[in-house]
Amino acid sequence: MSTDDRTRVKEMMSTPLRTVSPDATVTDAAKVMRENDISALVVTTTPRSIISSSDVLDAAADGLDPTDLLVADVMTTDVETVTPDLYMEEVAAMMTTFGIKHLPVVDGDYVGMVSSTDVTTLLS
């Protein structure tokens, strides 16, 4: 396969990017994910952060009340990111290496999200 045949992140990433404030409740974040049929949101913080359905599930399993719990309390900080021109094979390797399912796509600022579902779609 030549490099011209390889798929880049910009061809697979989800847009528009969905975001949530760190001050939103976990319930609010879960509603946005459900309404948009996605499983992660970028949290508008520095350093870069996300909240995923796994974070919501972990909070519920710990017996925490998602109506009182803030996104900032459960979000993952200092997340790995990728650029739109990266090859999807490299994304798959990053996800495997870091044990993650979502990578925000940045090109100066956030431009999209790529997920393990995108990798699976590409390979099937």
Side-chain angles (χ1 to χ4, degrees), residues 8-28:
R8 294 187 185 269
V9 167
K10 63 185 168 190
E11 298 169 55
M12 298 296 299
M13 70 183 186
S14 299
T15 60
L17 184 67
R18 303 291 181 205
T19 63
V20 66
S21 165
D23 299 325
T25 66
V26 170
T27 297
D28 292 336

Side-chain angles (χ1 to χ4, degrees), residues 6-95:
R6 294 167 61 197
T7 304
R8 294 187 185 269
V9 167
K10 63 185 168 190
E11 298 169 55
M12 298 296 299
M13 70 183 186
S14 299
T15 60
L17 184 67
R18 303 291 181 205
T19 63
V20 66
S21 165
D23 299 325
T25 66
V26 170
T27 297
D28 292 336
K31 286 178 182 177
V32 172
M33 285 187 246
R34 182 178 63 192
E35 289 166 2
N36 292 281
D37 195 26
I38 56 176
S39 55
L41 300 167
V42 166
V43 184
T44 53
T45 61
T46 302
R48 295 184 168 155
S49 303
I50 66 170
I51 181 171
S52 70
S53 56
S54 295
D55 297 323
V56 175
L57 183 62
D58 288 345
D62 289 343
L64 302 173
D65 182 352
T67 60
D68 291 331
L69 194 61
L70 298 180
V71 167
D73 298 327
V74 300
M75 67 188 187
T76 302
T77 58
D78 293 324
V79 297
E80 297 294 327
T81 61
V82 294
T83 61
D85 290 331
L86 199 65
Y87 291 113
M88 288 299 290
E89 293 92 341
E90 295 168 296
V91 168
M94 287 178 71
M95 288 179 173

